[in-house]
Amino acid sequence: MNPVALVFLALAMSTDAFAAAIGKGSSLHKPRFIEALRTGLIFGVIEAITPMIGWAIGHAATRWVENWDHWIAFTLLVALGLHMIWNGVKHEAEEEEKPQQHSFMILAVTAVATSIDALAVGVGLAFVNVNILVAAAAIGLATMTMVTLGVMLGRVLGHLVGKRAEIVGGVVLMLVGATILYEHLSA
């Protein structure tokens, strides 16, 4: 995977966490940077681990699907992109109750929920030539940065930007999938 695609993948993987972080930040009274960084670290570590787990699962299945690997990666990324876009445009029926503070467990559960797509991306990455440690580190660092910024911006921006970020992330994921397919078919 070329470095530009890797950067876009890492940013796309962090957009749902960014959207969640804006919500978390908007639910706190003037969050401090240390709380934002703590939240970013929790999300970043979890988001870095999940693609490695997915990669291990996908790598175990590589020999059975080698001729179709590029189509699998493309399909997974497009499906995840469409799912992110759908989540970005659907209307929430009810507003979440705002907590007074965020415990480690609540942040970890939220981070796991937003990293399920990274697990699926990890499965797709097993079928392309990519260093999973570099990809996971890039995804984790991008997520940590985006979540830290998201918490700090949350008190100002609220939910307005969160949904749009998820839509952009979905489009980027679909473009990364199309790039993988194009690179394989044109080789």
Side-chain angles (χ1 to χ4, degrees):
M1 178 178 287
N2 69 49
V4 173
L6 182 59
V7 168
F8 281 122
L9 176 66
L11 289 173
M13 290 290 82
S14 66
T15 56
D16 53 350
F18 177 71
I22 290 173
K24 294 294 182 190
S26 67
S27 69
L28 294 174
H29 179 68
K30 296 183 181 179
R32 297 178 309 166
F33 179 74
I34 195 73
E35 174 65 18
L37 184 60
R38 175 180 164 263
T39 304
L41 285 170
I42 292 168
F43 274 71
V45 168
I46 291 172
E47 194 88 20
I49 291 170
T50 54
M52 290 189 293
I53 293 169
W55 181 85
I57 292 167
H59 193 65
T62 299
R63 70 175 192 233
W64 290 292
V65 294
E66 198 166 357
N67 293 330
W68 298 94
D69 57 3
H70 53 285
W71 286 105
I72 293 170
F74 170 75
T75 303
L76 284 172
L77 290 170
V78 167
L80 289 169
L82 289 171
H83 179 69
M84 288 175 70
I85 291 168
W86 170 253
N87 284 336
V89 298
K90 75 177 183 177
H91 298 288
E92 302 263 339
E94 55 188 58
E95 200 171 305
E96 291 183 28
E97 195 174 309
K98 294 183 177 184
Q100 295 298 314
Q101 64 181 0
H102 302 302
S103 70
F104 172 82
M105 190 57 75
I106 287 174
L107 292 175
V109 168
T110 305
V112 168
T114 62
S115 68
I116 297 302
D117 56 347
L119 180 84
V121 165
V123 172
L125 290 177
F127 304 122
V128 295
N129 185 20
V130 65
N131 181 332
I132 190 60
L133 295 177
V134 171
I139 291 168
L141 181 62
T143 300
M144 183 189 77
T145 304
M146 294 292 284
V147 167
T148 301
L149 291 172
V151 170
M152 295 307 293
L153 291 173
R155 66 181 168 184
V156 176
L157 301 177
H159 295 287
L160 178 66
V161 172
K163 290 293 184 181
R164 290 192 178 112
E166 199 162 9
I167 293 168
V168 170
V171 170
V172 169
L173 268 185
M174 293 170 62
L175 290 173
V176 170
T179 301
I180 290 170
L181 183 63
Y182 174 77
E183 286 178 351
H184 184 79
L185 294 177
S186 66

